[in-house]
Amino acid sequence: IKINTDSDETGITAVVHQFLQESKAVEQEGEKATTENQESTEMQQENLQTSATPALTSTSVLQDSTTTEEPTPEASTLPSEAVTPTTSTISTTTTTPQPQPVLQPSEPQPVNPDSQSTVYTLPDAYRGIGGDLCVGYGSLSRINLHGYWPAKNFQSGAHYTLPFLRDSYAPAGLSSQAEQDGHSERGENPLDMKTNHPAVTYPTLGGIHQFRPITTMELLREPSRTRSGYDDAFMAQLEGNLNPFFQAMCRAQTLQVPHKRSSMVSLDSIRRDPRWRDPNLHEVISMLSHPMDPVKSNAAAYLQHLCYENDRIKQEVRHLNGVPILVGLLDHPKAEVHRKACGALRNISFGKDHNNKMAIKNCDGIQALVRLLRKSSSMEVKELVTGTLWNLSSHEPLKMMVINHGLQTLTDEIIIPHSGWRRDLADPSKLQSAEWTTVFKNTSGCLRNVSSDGAEARQRLRECEGLVAALLHALQSAVLNKDTDNKSVENCVCILRNLSYHVHKELPGAERFQEPHGNHLIRSIGHPKKNEPDAFSGKRPKDKRLEHFHIYKLAWLELLYQPEVVRLYLSLLTCSHNHNTLEAAAGALQNLAAGHWAWSSYIRATVRKEKGLPLLVELLRADVDKVVRAVAIALRNLAMDRRNKDLIGTGNYALRDLVGNLPCGQQHPAKNLEGDTVVSILNTIHEIITDNPENARLLIQGHAVQKLVAINKSSQSARETKAASHVLQTIWAYKDLRNTLNKAGWNKSHFKPTTTGVPKKSKSGKQGSDDITLPLMDKNQGQRITALVKEFLSCDMFFSCKSAQAISERKHFIRAGRPAVGLMDNKPPPLDSWV
Amino acid sequence: MSFVPGQPVTAVVQRIEIQKLRQEENLILGFSIGGGIDQDPGQNPFSEDKSDKGIYVTRISSGGPAELAGLRIGDKIMQVNGWDMTMVTHDDARKKLTKKKEDVVRLLVTRKSLEEAIQMMSR
């Protein structure tokens, strides 16, 4: 019997007694039973405890048992004893593997009224609401009160709380103290235990802990009911008005619990009880299939939370087959459910481990996401869907799938509306400016990824109605609004750059635009053509389309020849500070100007007319590697035009800036540029001085030879050396300059390679690899390399080019900090042996 | 289940006793092991610590003696009939399990859930 020293408690005890009159008889019975059988029940409890836990986890006690199935039968047998409802309650509580709390519940039973009274002293005894360990192991009274008997066959694993239920305001100290007390008292006469630490039993919000712990399942089922019930109870408690308290508690406690996994626990007991644990992953995933929607959505939200930046859990979710369930939930009619499921999928799909992405794809996740995008009108859902698609699209094998299922939808639902472009309106003044929404950013990012997937992907994007026009419009409005540094703009420019890559080859009927430079195969290879995406990609009708499309095509083709797009890129180069955007815009110009096509010549001239050359030269001074590289290669392509070459060489100090970018051999380079960039610059220089003796002379005057020779001799990178030697050879080819060179102290050996002459083929191959500015990948550096390989292989490259390719590929890897050889790739499958 | 090299390993274990089943002239246990100090620990899907080179149960034939005895997939085998399994090669482990003269193996296995249970209790 608990000894309560607090006078208030006794007062309340009386009230409690009245309230519980009906069930008193039973209570007393129970009391007796418990007092007498305390030892036994405890033992039973203990066994139950230990045996129960293995259902969840195994305990040391279980060592003797051979199966984990046993505990359940044990548990169910106990409640069948007429004696102690307590055991039944205990059975439920024992699911949380903690032996010592088990004992505690036994304490209050014999003194139900008293213990309850102690509880209700809370208003005074609000001391340390901590460590309440006699968490309502279901009081006798309550059970009889409601005539409810807990399920006899609990399922282990059913009892858990969501984290939010933990009461953080329970002072840890008290809990631990209580626990320690529990420990020390274990096995002793519970009566003694009670006396020893009366503190443990009281500190709850009213006799909440008298009631059995409520599982989260129940709370989720009728959250409002329980919580409001408890709120009322609490309020009643505080006001010292106990009848309403009880009523409220009853309300809160009487949940219809059809599920056999129910057990009643008070909210505070859950909060305070350290035995209640968060659901493990398995349970959360099974909650996803729960019939109740709030459970599903909470489980999904919890999964999302768990998966955040935690690769291991993402992997586990996949192993436990959570992904198909989540994908299934995307089709759920309720917004709450599918939104949270999408959020969870988004987190899961993010990261280096692509198995998760594949798992999503394998259960038709991409189709489901696109479906949801079409159905939903909620901006948040759209953001999540597009974000997930963005993640998925960063994985190479999935890109085509995303295009197949999602391209038109993404374009129609998001790109076109958010870009402000109106298909039918011809009047530009009516066009709205773009909305840089998150959805637009996500979608443009996704399309950026897929646009890098190769010729087929580019084709599809170009053919997608309205896509390119919308993107162009969006960019134009960005320039107008001077808002060019955001991610959406970057994505759009990158898409356009990608789409313009090799357009000349991929246009049906484009051959007629090709200039008759038949034998300049090397050059054309060496200059990957990133053509104007707008005209071609937006309206590149196939021959089988209807007549009016041809007319439309002409209109678009005309647009191609307009300087507007060139102006657009140049304006982006002028006003943007985003390095990726700068690189992409320069890359787009590079593509446009590449090749020997009628319109590429036109573009080169247009760039010159639009005063683009000085702009690009200016950018050579940028500190950013990739920008310098892109601009250098753009200049190189532009220099294919004779007049441009003159201008670049002589008029714009380009040579000076280019040379200035070169490292000075052994000395600390002026700019710490990557090898790739150096190679690009060297190639640009080469282009400039080819067929232009004047430029070559200028180059020599600029003391470039010194640097070139130094690079040629001492550079670590084979490509750099080759590029430098190439330039040097070209210089030497100008016989007129040899005098000057000799006077300066250079002789033939500096200019001619000492190794066997570099075959022209490999050089061009090198150039080719330089010139391919890759569509930048956001999410995966590896993409760069694979894209590089793809582009390379898709061209008619010479064999040696491919080998140069491989070298550059390795270098990319090295540069990226990865081992040059895929150490992890060739691991033999793990050995396992049957025994 | 990570360990500190040089320090004794402590783990919560479950004792499992498996009666070998006679199939023609073989005695089988009905599970398959993976791991070992000569294997790549990174490929182990069951281990907490990806540098753990212990012997893990990778497959269990359903209805077999191992499953009946309570062995579960993912379990790490710590001892077999008293022989240590935490620092052995794959083949050594296999041999200790398949001794022809023994028709019973007593294993000590551990799994994460055991650890969790103990942690729960001790909290």
Side-chain angles (χ1 to χ4, degrees):
Chain A
I1 307 294
K2 206 163 164 61
I3 297 174
N4 301 313
T5 54
D6 194 330
S7 59
D8 285 342
E9 296 175 2
T10 53
I12 295 171
T13 308
V15 177
V16 171
H17 271 282
Q18 283 172 11
F19 185 75
L20 296 169
Q21 250 171 6
E22 316 164 1
S23 44
K24 202 171 181 185
V26 181
E27 267 178 32
Q28 284 170 349
E29 217 178 73
E31 278 177 49
K32 279 189 218 153
T34 47
T35 39
E36 288 164 6
N37 302 346
Q38 222 134 43
E39 301 280 353
S40 55
T41 54
E42 278 162 39
M43 293 307 293
Q44 284 162 345
Q45 288 160 16
E46 195 167 340
N47 289 339
L48 180 59
Q49 168 77 36
T50 52
S51 54
T53 50
L56 293 171
T57 64
S58 306
T59 60
S60 47
V61 177
L62 188 64
Q63 286 173 11
D64 302 319
S65 71
T66 51
T67 70
T68 55
E69 302 313 313
E70 284 184 19
T72 355
E74 280 181 15
S76 53
T77 54
L78 281 172
S80 62
E81 290 175 53
V83 174
T84 52
T86 59
T87 54
S88 56
T89 59
I90 291 161
S91 69
T92 56
T93 58
T94 51
T95 52
T96 59
Q98 264 196 350
Q100 41 106 358
V102 176
L103 300 172
Q104 305 249 342
S106 64
E107 303 165 31
Q109 271 93 35
V111 287
N112 263 329
D114 291 339
S115 52
Q116 281 180 350
S117 68
T118 58
V119 170
Y120 306 135
T121 62
L122 183 64
D124 316 298
Y126 212 178
R127 33 187 188 218
I129 315 165
D132 163 67
L133 288 170
C134 57
V135 158
Y137 293 98
S139 64
L140 286 174
S141 58
R142 191 200 62 76
I143 290 170
N144 297 317
L145 198 63
H146 310 295
Y148 174 85
W149 285 79
K152 299 194 176 176
N153 47 341
F154 67 94
Q155 277 188 16
S156 55
H159 308 285
Y160 40 72
T161 64
L162 288 178
F164 66 88
L165 289 174
R166 287 208 193 215
D167 189 344
S168 55
Y169 57 83
L174 195 59
S175 334
S176 53
Q177 178 218 351
E179 286 174 35
Q180 285 159 13
D181 289 344
H183 265 302
S184 59
E185 309 302 337
R186 190 173 176 170
E188 293 176 23
N189 188 333
L191 297 180
D192 292 338
M193 282 172 62
K194 284 199 208 89
T195 56
N196 286 341
H197 47 106
V200 178
T201 56
Y202 63 82
T204 62
L205 294 176
I208 294 179
H209 64 263
Q210 294 301 314
F211 300 85
R212 277 174 40 237
I214 285 187
T215 58
T216 52
M217 301 296 276
E218 299 166 335
L219 284 166
L220 288 170
R221 260 179 237 126
E222 290 177 88
S224 57
R225 185 168 180 194
T226 50
R227 288 181 209 157
S228 63
Y230 283 124
D231 287 346
D232 290 348
F234 179 70
M235 291 316 297
Q237 178 88 49
L238 285 181
E239 291 159 23
N241 188 355
L242 286 165
N243 275 333
F245 168 87
F246 274 106
Q247 287 163 13
M249 284 306 297
C250 294
R251 229 184 316 123
Q253 292 295 340
T254 42
L255 295 178
Q256 298 302 318
V257 199
H259 203 286
K260 59 185 176 175
R261 287 189 195 180
S262 60
S263 70
M264 308 298 223
V265 156
S266 68
L267 200 55
D268 290 288
S269 63
I270 296 172
R271 287 184 193 155
R272 247 189 319 279
D273 186 1
R275 289 161 304 127
W276 291 109
R277 59 177 178 82
D278 295 333
N280 68 31
L281 205 53
H282 197 277
E283 291 156 359
V284 179
I285 290 179
S286 51
M287 279 204 267
L288 286 174
S289 314
H290 194 273
M292 286 189 67
D293 293 338
V295 178
K296 285 189 174 104
S297 70
N298 284 341
Y302 188 43
L303 265 182
Q304 177 179 359
H305 166 75
L306 286 176
C307 288
Y308 180 73
E309 288 185 349
N310 188 328
D311 283 339
R312 192 182 64 82
I313 291 202
K314 288 177 198 170
Q315 195 184 33
E316 285 254 3
V317 172
R318 187 180 80 242
H319 285 319
L320 293 171
N321 245 353
V323 176
I325 307 179
L326 283 168
V327 172
L329 286 180
L330 288 176
D331 285 319
H332 196 280
K334 271 207 175 160
E336 211 193 9
V337 178
H338 62 236
R339 186 179 72 229
K340 295 189 180 170
C342 195
L345 279 174
R346 184 186 191 177
N347 279 5
I348 289 177
S349 63
F350 179 84
K352 289 181 287 214
D353 182 6
H354 294 301
N355 290 324
N356 298 329
K357 299 180 175 93
M358 289 308 286
I360 295 178
K361 166 236 173 197
N362 286 338
C363 41
D364 291 337
I366 298 179
Q367 292 93 314
L369 285 165
V370 175
R371 250 197 322 269
L372 182 58
L373 186 63
R374 275 200 295 264
K375 274 192 293 192
S376 173
S377 51
S378 152
M379 193 49 68
E380 193 187 337
V381 171
K382 291 195 191 201
E383 276 178 24
L384 290 169
V385 168
T386 49
T388 315
L389 283 171
W390 193 359
N391 287 347
L392 290 173
S393 65
S394 69
H395 188 36
E396 181 78 27
L398 300 180
K399 289 182 181 178
M400 217 49 214
M401 276 201 79
V402 173
I403 292 177
N404 286 336
H405 295 286
L407 179 60
Q408 199 62 52
T409 308
L410 287 171
T411 305
D412 292 335
E413 298 279 329
I414 293 163
I415 298 285
I416 291 178
H418 289 257
S419 70
W421 181 70
R422 292 288 173 264
R423 226 185 269 248
D424 41 349
L425 286 177
D427 187 359
S429 62
K430 287 196 191 150
L431 296 173
Q432 302 154 15
S433 66
E435 307 152 24
W436 302 118
T437 54
T438 308
V439 192
F440 187 82
K441 178 179 76 168
N442 290 352
T443 312
S444 56
C446 177
L447 290 176
R448 173 182 173 176
N449 281 352
V450 302
S451 63
S452 69
D453 194 29
E456 170 80 25
R458 286 196 296 271
Q459 210 74 320
R460 298 284 298 276
L461 263 79
R462 288 183 200 125
E463 287 166 14
C464 180
E465 271 196 60
L467 174 62
V468 175
L471 290 173
L472 275 174
H473 178 72
L475 285 176
Q476 270 161 352
S477 72
V479 171
L480 283 173
N481 296 335
K482 306 266 188 286
D483 179 18
T484 50
D485 288 340
N486 64 52
K487 185 79 176 175
S488 303
V489 167
E490 177 189 323
N491 288 341
C492 292
V493 185
C494 286
I495 298 175
L496 291 175
R497 177 195 59 186
N498 291 353
L499 289 186
S500 49
Y501 185 80
H502 274 183
V503 161
H504 68 288
K505 280 194 181 180
E506 293 160 7
L507 271 181
E511 302 79 46
R512 56 191 138 101
F513 293 111
Q514 186 173 6
E515 283 179 357
H517 286 254
N519 288 336
H520 286 250
L521 187 55
I522 293 170
R523 282 186 146 229
S524 63
I525 289 169
H527 305 289
K529 302 157 189 13
K530 296 178 192 174
N531 305 305
E532 292 243 354
D534 52 342
F536 280 89
S537 33
K539 292 295 172 183
R540 214 182 38 72
K542 291 197 167 121
D543 299 317
K544 59 193 178 202
R545 289 199 190 174
L546 300 174
E547 284 299 314
H548 64 276
F549 278 122
H550 284 281
I551 298 170
Y552 219 14
K553 169 190 181 182
L554 285 174
W556 279 104
L557 279 176
E558 269 179 43
L559 184 61
L560 165 69
Y561 293 99
Q562 302 306 314
E564 270 155 18
V565 174
V566 174
R567 264 191 230 137
L568 177 64
Y569 290 130
L570 291 173
S571 336
L572 282 170
L573 284 170
T574 317
C575 54
S576 179
H577 297 113
N578 180 333
H579 298 145
N580 290 326
T581 306
L582 290 173
E583 183 186 3
L589 283 174
Q590 169 192 342
N591 282 345
L592 290 176
H596 290 270
W597 309 90
W599 43 263
S600 53
S601 307
Y602 190 90
I603 292 293
R604 289 182 216 126
T606 309
V607 171
R608 182 179 67 243
K609 287 175 193 158
E610 294 291 327
K611 311 283 188 289
L613 294 173
L615 181 58
L616 287 168
V617 172
E618 183 70 31
L619 278 171
L620 277 175
R621 294 205 222 119
D623 278 330
V624 181
D625 223 35
K626 48 185 161 185
V627 175
V628 173
R629 184 172 3 172
V631 169
I633 304 178
L635 279 174
R636 181 184 165 196
N637 287 351
L638 288 167
M640 284 161 61
D641 178 303
R642 190 153 286 278
R643 286 191 57 189
N644 287 356
K645 198 180 297 202
D646 291 334
L647 281 173
I648 292 173
T650 60
N652 294 305
Y653 308 105
L655 274 177
R656 183 192 68 188
D657 286 330
L658 281 170
V659 172
N661 273 327
L662 289 173
C664 318
Q666 255 81 353
Q667 298 163 14
H668 188 66
K671 278 193 210 176
N672 204 0
L673 294 176
E674 276 183 30
D676 265 352
T677 314
V678 172
V679 175
S680 338
I681 294 171
L682 288 169
N683 289 328
T684 309
I685 295 174
H686 178 261
E687 179 64 37
I688 293 173
I689 61 176
T690 304
D691 292 336
N692 196 322
E694 188 57 34
N695 286 348
R697 181 170 303 128
L698 283 168
L699 184 68
I700 297 174
Q701 287 173 357
H703 304 290
V705 177
Q706 196 178 12
K707 283 193 181 179
L708 289 168
V709 171
I711 294 174
N712 194 13
K713 280 212 183 109
S714 60
S715 170
Q716 302 297 326
S717 154
R719 290 173 65 215
E720 279 180 37
T721 318
K722 278 188 187 168
S725 78
H726 195 47
V727 177
L728 288 167
Q729 283 173 50
T730 313
I731 297 174
W732 193 251
Y734 289 113
K735 301 206 171 90
D736 314 334
L737 303 172
R738 287 188 197 171
N739 270 337
T740 323
L741 288 169
N742 285 331
K743 280 181 199 162
W746 305 108
N747 58 38
K748 189 173 181 183
S749 65
H750 291 119
F751 292 87
K752 287 297 187 186
T754 48
T755 56
T756 55
V758 182
K760 202 170 184 203
K761 295 185 179 182
S762 65
K763 272 184 288 188
S764 56
K766 212 175 2 79
Q767 287 176 0
S769 63
D770 293 337
D771 293 346
I772 297 175
T773 62
L774 298 173
L776 289 177
M777 287 306 112
D778 254 349
K779 308 273 178 193
N780 194 344
Q781 312 98 320
Q783 286 296 349
R784 239 192 141 200
I785 286 71
T786 52
L788 179 86
V789 177
K790 264 205 168 171
E791 294 315 323
F792 217 84
L793 294 178
S794 66
C795 312
D796 299 327
M797 304 300 284
F798 296 105
F799 180 76
S800 53
C801 306
K802 289 181 184 160
S803 60
Q805 179 58 47
I807 295 173
S808 65
E809 192 179 327
R810 289 286 162 82
K811 293 214 158 114
H812 276 290
F813 269 114
I814 292 171
R815 217 168 277 123
R818 296 186 192 180
V821 178
L823 290 174
M824 301 308 285
D825 297 341
N826 302 324
K827 284 269 173 201
L831 179 61
D832 72 284
S833 327
W834 280 98
V835 295
Chain B
M1 289 189 257
S2 54
F3 63 96
V4 176
Q7 300 301 315
V9 176
T10 52
V12 182
V13 291
Q14 175 181 348
R15 277 204 191 89
I16 293 186
E17 183 172 308
I18 309 181
Q19 299 281 342
K20 293 192 189 178
L21 180 65
R22 185 160 288 279
Q23 253 190 8
E24 288 107 36
E25 56 151 36
N26 300 324
L27 279 171
I28 65 159
L29 290 161
F31 67 100
S32 135
I33 53 168
I37 55 179
D38 56 336
Q39 300 292 313
D40 171 21
Q43 304 218 21
N44 185 346
F46 305 109
S47 58
E48 278 282 290
D49 172 10
K50 288 303 169 191
S51 62
D52 180 1
K53 294 187 169 181
I55 305 291
Y56 282 80
V57 175
T58 54
R59 286 180 286 180
I60 300 230
S61 48
S62 63
E67 189 182 33
L68 294 176
L71 196 64
R72 294 291 168 256
I73 191 172
D75 288 356
K76 176 177 175 182
I77 303 181
M78 307 298 281
Q79 281 183 14
V80 170
N81 285 344
W83 292 100
D84 168 66
M85 289 283 125
T86 60
M87 261 310 139
V88 291
T89 62
H90 184 92
D91 212 45
D92 275 351
R94 187 188 55 80
K95 284 181 192 164
K96 290 286 185 273
L97 284 163
T98 51
K99 294 239 178 260
K100 294 228 168 117
K101 292 194 179 165
E102 298 167 356
D103 54 5
V104 147
V105 288
R106 291 185 181 83
L107 313 179
L108 287 184
V109 302
T110 184
R111 59 182 81 95
K112 181 136 186 293
S113 50
L114 292 172
E115 301 278 350
E116 280 171 353
I118 293 301
Q119 276 167 20
M120 287 282 175
M121 287 200 226
S122 62
R123 218 167 355 109

